[in-house]
């Protein structure tokens, strides 16, 4: 079950899921979480084993960023469409958990997305992992921040559904199994919501914005 909360000034969207159960152990997830087809480059910036035996890593990722048509007007012609992302991860072998933090370094005026994922061994169900995901989405585009945040939230949800299906596929291949019906109606529904949010934003962009007046 998920919830979406906005601040009183509508400057931030907060998305949070309750714990989801994944039918694979944490060790297998640690292998698959770090791989993704839309990651163009990956560099380890820093890595160390802390005093309490946790593995801390910081990576710099460059990912593809397919922009919707309405967003083109906010980008200068020569600006890169790729997104640079910092990812911090903490592997805790004692508590059997993996925590990741990610945030984008560029295009932050248009949209800033911060995400935290916590993977934990399930105490109730052996050989399964619990996943909790949170995201904070904001925009600094005057007059359009709210619809941009709504679009970002819809796209984030759509991408997470696809990411979970991709993770299940990778894990099943790791075990020599081929999952059936990976892309079900949930993916289609999430994609439709993202499209509706894009239409709403496009409509808002067509309405001229009055300049802010100061007394």
């Amino acid at each position: 079950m998920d919830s979406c909360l906005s601040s009183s000034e509508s400057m931030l969207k907060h998305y949070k899921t309750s714990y989801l159960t994944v039918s694979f152990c944490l060790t297998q997830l640690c292998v698959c979480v770090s791989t993704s087809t839309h990651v163009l480059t990956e560099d380890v910036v820093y890595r160390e084993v802390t005093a309490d035996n946790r593995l801390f890593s910081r990576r710099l990722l460059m990912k593809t960023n397919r922009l919707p048509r309405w967003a083109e007007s906010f980008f200068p012609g020569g600006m890169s469409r790729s997104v640079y992302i910092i990812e911090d991860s903490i592997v805790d072998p004692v508590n059997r958990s993996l925590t990741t933090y990610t945030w984008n370094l560029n295009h932050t005026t248009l949209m800033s997305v911060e995400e935290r994922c916590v993977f934990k061994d399930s105490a109730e169900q052996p050989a399964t992992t619990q996943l909790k995901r949170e995201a904070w989405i904001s925009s600094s585009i005057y007059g359009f921040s709210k619809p941009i945040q709504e679009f970002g939230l819809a796209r984030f949800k759509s991408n997470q559904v696809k990411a979970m299906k991709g993770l299940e596929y990778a894990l099943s291949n790791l075990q020599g199994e081929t999952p059936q019906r990976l892309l079900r109606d949930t993916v289609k529904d999430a994609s439709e919501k993202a499209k509706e949010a894009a239409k709403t934003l496009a409509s808002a962009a067509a309405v001229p914005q009055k300049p802010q007046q100061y007394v």
Side-chain angles (χ1 to χ4, degrees), residues 10 12 41 61 65-66 100 123 136 139 145 156 181 202 214:
S10 299
L12 184 72
T41 63
L61 310 174
N65 183 34
R66 185 174 60 84
T100 63
W136 295 264
S139 173
S145 60
F156 180 84
R181 299 175 60 192
Y214 298 91

Side-chain angles (χ1 to χ4, degrees), residues 112-160:
S112 175
V113 181
E114 300 179 28
E115 181 185 5
R116 177 174 64 191
C117 295
V118 180
F119 300 84
K120 297 178 63 176
D121 265 349
S122 174
E124 294 78 17
Q125 304 179 53
T128 63
T129 303
Q130 291 185 319
L131 164 61
K132 184 176 183 180
R133 177 177 278 120
E134 289 185 271
W136 295 264
I137 302 170
S138 62
S139 173
S140 301
I141 300 294
Y142 174 72
F144 298 99
S145 60
K146 188 173 181 179
I148 288 175
Q149 290 170 23
E150 293 290 353
F151 171 81
L153 180 63
R155 171 174 277 194
F156 180 84
K157 289 182 178 180
S158 173
N159 289 342
Q160 295 315 302

Side-chain angles (χ1 to χ4, degrees), residues 5-81:
L5 305 175
S6 60
S7 66
S8 57
E9 298 181 355
S10 299
M11 295 298 293
L12 184 72
K13 285 291 180 181
H14 178 209
Y15 171 78
K16 179 172 66 173
T17 65
S18 55
Y19 276 107
L20 305 174
T21 300
V22 183
S23 301
F24 299 92
C25 68
L26 183 63
T27 303
Q28 294 170 319
L29 281 169
C30 287
V31 173
C32 292
V33 166
S34 61
T35 61
S36 180
T37 56
H38 64 287
V39 175
L40 301 179
T41 63
E42 172 187 332
D43 296 285
V44 177
V45 179
Y46 180 78
R47 180 167 285 164
E48 72 163 347
V49 177
T50 63
D52 54 356
N53 293 321
R54 296 188 299 172
L55 176 63
F56 172 80
S57 302
R58 170 165 289 184
R59 299 190 301 164
L60 174 64
L61 310 174
M62 183 173 73
K63 297 184 178 182
T64 55
N65 183 34
R66 185 174 60 84
L67 289 175
R69 227 175 250 182
W70 57 262
E72 295 290 341
S73 60
F74 295 109
F75 278 80
M79 182 175 288
S80 171
R81 297 304 192 259

